[in-house]
Amino acid sequence: MLDKRIVVLVSGRGTNLQALIDAATGGKIPGRITLVISDNPDAYALRRAQKAGIPTVTLDYASFPGKKAYEEALLATLERENPDLICLAGYMRIVGRTIVSRYRYRILNIHPSLLPAFPGLEAQKQAVEYGVKVSGCTVHFVDEGMDTGPIILQATCPVFDDDTPETLAERILEYEHEIYPQAVRLFLEGKLRIEGRKVLVQKG
Ligand code: GRF
């Protein structure tokens, strides 16, 4: 069990990466993060990985002639790593079709809203502006769409009248750090069964 290999894709500060690192080192996930890949050389997430002794690869998006060349390099890096699971953690790009189909139902993402509400960028701002009273976060499998894949876990939290996108984001983030490691654990334990759009979670 413990040799299940997780690769995490990041672009930014990496608090969800940190939650996964902490869960793995604390024995709460039956696997280990073998590589962190960033499309952004300045991502603080890279520092977090290095501090934890996890190898990193930077594929600086700006240094590639276009999306196709970038995705080819990403796929080659993934293939070398041979991951059981790929986690997107604040990764700011749409994963291309070739990679999605190569790793179908083996790529997870965390999104800061209750999908299918507010997909895409600035989900917390969308929620505040829409005036919803409840929001939260979603861990889902990645498919070809934007935040459209089958939902694994969700957590809810209130939205208050005086919330700003920032205060709501901060509240949601606490739940993200709980449910992302939980979803990874369920996946690695083989407790997720996909039936069409539904992900059935085996109890116990
Ligand atoms: C999180 O809100 C996550 O849901 C979204 O991007 C943000 C990343 O934050 N996909 P961090 O880099 O994990 O701190």
Side-chain angles (χ1 to χ4, degrees):
M1 267 301 213
L2 271 175
D3 56 3
K4 288 271 168 69
R5 300 165 65 80
I6 307 164
V7 170
V8 184
L9 269 60
V10 297
S11 301
R13 67 190 162 175
T15 65
N16 278 288
L17 169 66
Q18 191 67 55
L20 295 174
I21 291 172
D22 294 345
T25 52
K28 292 185 180 140
I29 292 176
R32 65 196 166 91
I33 301 169
T34 59
L35 184 68
V36 170
I37 303 174
S38 176
D39 64 338
N40 167 17
D42 300 323
Y44 185 70
L46 288 168
R47 298 261 301 277
R48 294 180 189 271
Q50 283 149 11
K51 276 188 206 161
I54 299 167
T56 62
V57 166
T58 301
L59 300 173
D60 183 359
Y61 192 85
S63 74
F64 288 88
K67 171 144 181 145
K68 190 167 178 288
Y70 169 80
E71 285 278 320
E72 279 167 9
L74 179 57
L75 178 59
T77 308
L78 291 169
E79 292 288 284
R80 272 196 301 278
E81 200 56 24
N82 191 27
D84 296 290
L85 175 65
I86 298 166
C87 291
L88 312 186
Y91 179 66
M92 298 306 286
R93 297 191 183 279
I94 307 264
V95 179
R97 286 174 174 271
T98 308
I99 294 178
V100 169
S101 76
R102 170 75 181 89
Y103 294 96
R104 172 115 19 228
Y105 301 130
R106 283 192 285 156
I107 309 177
L108 306 189
N109 182 42
I110 180 125
H111 182 76
S113 75
L114 294 175
L115 291 171
F118 314 130
L121 292 174
E122 300 191 320
Q124 305 94 331
K125 183 162 178 265
Q126 294 183 54
V128 166
E129 286 177 356
Y130 200 93
V132 292
K133 304 297 185 193
V134 173
S135 190
C137 48
T138 303
V139 182
H140 63 93
F141 285 107
V142 171
D143 68 5
E144 283 78 359
M146 158 94 82
D147 302 321
T148 50
I151 290 171
I152 301 168
L153 291 179
Q154 292 185 303
T156 61
C157 70
V159 181
F160 300 119
D161 290 347
D162 59 354
D163 264 327
T164 63
E166 292 72 30
T167 58
L168 179 59
E170 201 179 322
R171 189 171 314 118
I172 293 173
L173 205 54
E174 286 186 30
Y175 293 91
E176 295 187 34
H177 298 162
E178 278 179 31
I179 68 168
Y180 210 179
Q182 280 172 21
V184 168
R185 177 172 57 76
L186 291 168
F187 177 91
L188 293 178
E189 288 176 350
K191 291 190 171 158
L192 303 180
R193 209 173 78 235
I194 297 149
E195 281 187 7
R197 268 220 59 88
K198 285 193 188 168
V199 180
L200 307 180
V201 179
Q202 189 187 311
K203 304 276 181 249

